[in-house]
Amino acid sequence: MDFLRPASWEEALAAKAAHPAAVPLAGGTDVMVEINFDHRRPEHLLDLGRLGELRDWTVGERTVRLGACVPYAHIMEHLRGPLPGLALAAHTVASPQIRNRGGVGGNLGTASPAGDAHPALLAAGARVEAESVRGSRLIPIDAFYTGVKRNALAPDELIRAVHIEKAGGPQQFSKVGTRNAMVIAVCAFALALHPRSRTVRTGIGSAAPTPVRARDAEAFLTAALDEGGFWENGATLAPSLVKEFATLASAACAPIDDVRGTAAYRRHAVGVMARRQLGWVWDQYRGARRLEGAA
Amino acid sequence: MRVDLTVNGRRQYADDVWEGESLLYVLRERMGLPGSKNACEQGECGSCTVRLDGVPVCACLVAAGQAEGREVVTVEGLAQQARDRAGRDAGADDEAAALSPVQRAFVDAGAVQCGFCTPGLLVATDEMLERNPSPSDADIREALSGNLCRCTGYEKILDAVRLAAARRDEGATP
């Protein structure tokens, strides 16, 4: 095994081009487990830890450019305002020790259906900045997850950053597990209201081969909010509307039975989370409107 | 490969480190510091918690090469670190200084049963109190949520953390 320690981004890209099978090492919270358990013996480990720029972020006008190695602890602490859904998801990752190391780049690289960041990224809207010696491209998050632990990266590409839409409205994230820490999601759900575009987006984790959006649920709710003038009048949502949204969210799952839970349970739990989160975000939206009205 | 790092204030190096080796293995097997414990090897139990450039991490999930040139504090360094903080220059025979205040609180509160989880809990507690000298019970539970005790001695552990925090407060009051 070789331990490659690029001192610059260009060196990292050159190393990945020379050794496309090299395994990028960021926080190590996935890769080191596989090495410790002898599940993986890559010929090259590509340590990204020396590249300070990967731990930086920039809050722009419409998006946050989040470096691939910004640890979850920093997202929780510094980016709760522009990225509330991702900050909530970050807080559910494992433990403080893991959140000090792991970040979104690694979560995307591993592309586990149970990765905690994915539902929040899907709901907020994001693009993955992937780069190789051949050039740089932005991959829409919806096109990024291609299979169980598979993603759209080419073998010579590295994730440099993620461009995430800044929240224009309330966002929520929740996940089901046996305790509040150290839990791999049984299933997870995220919901984001986008008042500027009068749309809603969702993300489902651990209930399909890849992280997915509940597109029918989104389309239903977007249309219902529009038709009822809800964005303008801020009225209470009818229970039947909320229930239909939850049913459609549940139907977007394609789960399996495994050690963490049954498929039926996952479908049910995603529906419950969808119902609750719609209640929460709508209350937040109405509260913010009232404050605006008062001001 | 060779790995150079600062451990508990001392520059150290290890030779013939395998590229896939963890920082934990280097500390325990190559540097003679077996305080950090090796249990789950997957970041679940927290018994290998050390500070890497001040930040608590699971040493089992840090590749040794990633620790190159960086500063590590293990449970073996807590007493010295506490003396440095207090600006005290105590001799080894000074009983009060042989343990850090957090270690003393764990002893006094009976927070140690088999002791396997203790080093990780001490490092995590010490870091939390540095950041948050007056933690609520919720703060303590959150800060220690990545450290498992299979003797289920959590109540005494919580007592010990509260005791360490209270003693800090007393010490800080003139």
Side-chain angles (χ1 to χ4, degrees), chain A residues 84-167:
Chain A
L86 186 64
L88 285 169
H91 203 158
T92 73
V93 172
S95 66
Q97 289 93 324
I98 304 300
R99 296 196 289 269
N100 284 335
R101 296 286 295 162
V104 174
N107 223 205
L108 289 165
T110 300
S112 159
D116 291 318
H118 310 316
L121 295 177
L122 285 166
R127 287 175 301 169
V128 181
E129 184 181 331
E131 196 169 338
S132 72
V133 290
R134 295 174 293 119
S136 177
R137 62 177 178 140
L138 290 172
I139 307 170
I141 192 72
D142 303 75
F144 188 79
Y145 310 109
T146 55
V148 179
K149 296 197 174 184
R150 289 184 183 281
N151 59 38
L153 292 178
D156 63 345
E157 279 181 321
L158 291 171
I159 299 168
R160 188 171 198 173
V162 192
H163 300 249
I164 307 157
E165 301 288 327
K166 277 167 72 175

Side-chain angles (χ1 to χ4, degrees), chain A residues 5 26 36 91 97 99-100, chain B residues 49 56 60 66 68 142 145 147:
Chain A
R5 268 186 269 201
N36 287 343
H91 203 158
Q97 289 93 324
R99 296 196 289 269
N100 284 335
Chain B
T49 302
C60 73
Q66 292 186 299
E68 169 74 27
E142 166 107 23
S145 59
N147 294 79

